[in-house]
Structures are given as structure tokens and as C-alpha cells.
Amino acid sequence: MILTGKEILKRLGNDIKIEPYDPNLLNPNSYNLRLHEDLLVYSEFPLDMKKPNPVQNLKIPEDGLLLEPGKLYLGRTIEFTETHNLVPMLEGRSSIGRLGMFVHITAGFGDVGFKGFWTLEIQVTHPLRVYAGVQICQIFYHTVEGEISEYKSGKYQANQGIQPSLLYKDFEKK
């Protein structure tokens, strides 16, 4: 089941933490998250799954940043979230999708116990000017059935900013 907005509000401070929290961003069954001004792009190609790939930092200026098709931008939410006893999920807002912007490619699914900023995998279908602070996506919460084991991965847990792929760490375990 998906929590209603009223249930999200009831669970704030316990199962759900959203910082900063703004009551104006609460929806009937989700909460809108905003785009931070920092972005990353990979700077050397081809990318290699077994290695850390170099990135370049970008900052969205006040007058916006023009995103280009065919390029992957990694962004993050302004909000830091923490979730216990629920599964957090992330989806782009329909108003964003209707402009030809994708907010996540595969990483819309969170784990019980995840805490951190959400890294957004941003692509556009045609040139699009974006602005920091825009309500870019929405987080919603599923209830869980069964015994809970919380997310404890050292790769992305408690991140402090945008996370490029850390897949190379999986190869180091072998």
C-alpha cells in the first residue's frame, strides 16, 4: 500500500525524515523534492564499470542551465531523507516529464533504512533550461510486509551529495 499525504505527515520525525520539510510540498500521496544547484557530468569516455569515472562539477546559475540531449546529468535533491519501516520510491513529476525531462533512469527504488540525498539521473529529449529549487520529483512510501532488514550499504548510505556510480566497488569484493 502507498501512504497518503496525511499518513506521511503523521510519520514525520519517526519512520520518515525530510529535511528541510515544507508543508506546501506535501501532496495527497507523495511529497515533492527539489533540485539542488549542483550537478555532475562524466568527463572522460568511454566509462568503465570496474573503475571510478572522472566527473566535472556544474552549478546551475540563477538564470538557469541549458541541458543538452544525449548527455547524462547527475543531480541531487535539496532534501535529505531518511526512511524506516517503509520503502521509499522516487518518480519524476508529470510536469517535468511533459517537458521531455527524465529524472531517473533506473534508481527510483529506495531501500528500507536509506538515508541521504537522492541522486537524480537526469536526461532530456531536447534542449531544456533548468533551475535550482524546482520541484523536480516526488517521493512516496510503500508499506512493507515481512521481517525488515535495513539498508546498510557502504556505497550510498548517508551520502553528503551527488553520488556518481560506485559500481566498481562491487568488483573489488571478488
Side-chain angles (χ1 to χ4, degrees):
M1 305 301 274
I2 295 174
L3 298 189
T4 64
K6 289 178 182 179
E7 187 64 20
I8 291 170
L9 186 58
K10 274 195 235 175
R11 294 188 187 213
L12 275 178
N14 296 308
D15 291 337
I16 298 171
K17 293 180 185 171
I18 301 172
E19 297 172 359
Y21 176 80
D22 179 344
N24 296 314
L25 302 180
L26 186 63
N27 300 311
N29 57 351
S30 65
Y31 182 87
N32 288 348
L33 300 176
R34 298 166 296 159
L35 179 63
H36 193 273
E37 67 184 354
D38 293 331
L39 298 175
L40 293 179
V41 292
Y42 289 105
S43 56
E44 292 180 21
F45 298 93
L47 300 178
D48 189 330
M49 289 181 161
K50 286 189 173 184
K51 299 176 184 173
N53 292 285
V55 293
Q56 174 188 355
N57 293 303
L58 300 176
K59 193 166 288 290
I60 301 172
E62 199 170 305
D63 61 345
L65 179 70
L66 187 63
L67 302 186
E68 303 166 19
K71 197 169 192 176
L72 175 66
Y73 298 86
L74 297 177
R76 79 163 175 93
T77 58
I78 290 174
E79 293 80 8
F80 181 96
T81 70
E82 184 172 341
T83 307
H84 301 281
N85 304 309
L86 300 163
V87 175
M89 303 284 291
L90 198 71
E91 282 293 339
R93 293 181 61 226
S94 63
S95 296
I96 298 296
R98 291 171 192 186
L99 291 172
M101 182 178 191
F102 300 96
V103 173
H104 68 81
I105 298 168
T106 60
F109 185 85
D111 285 305
V112 176
F114 172 74
K115 61 181 172 182
F117 297 98
W118 288 78
T119 294
L120 307 173
E121 304 151 342
I122 300 169
Q123 286 190 315
V124 295
T125 59
H126 43 260
L128 177 66
R129 186 168 302 279
V130 298
Y131 301 87
V134 67
Q135 296 174 43
I136 194 167
C137 59
Q138 50 197 351
I139 190 169
F140 59 102
Y141 301 92
H142 284 273
T143 56
V144 179
E145 187 173 321
E147 186 177 338
I148 294 173
S149 295
E150 288 207 344
Y151 176 73
K152 295 194 184 333
S153 169
K155 288 195 305 191
Y156 302 111
Q157 183 70 307
N159 68 65
Q160 294 302 306
I162 302 168
Q163 299 280 240
S165 176
L166 301 177
L167 182 64
Y168 67 90
K169 290 185 176 197
D170 293 351
F171 291 95
E172 294 171 353
K173 294 177 185 175
K174 294 180 179 181

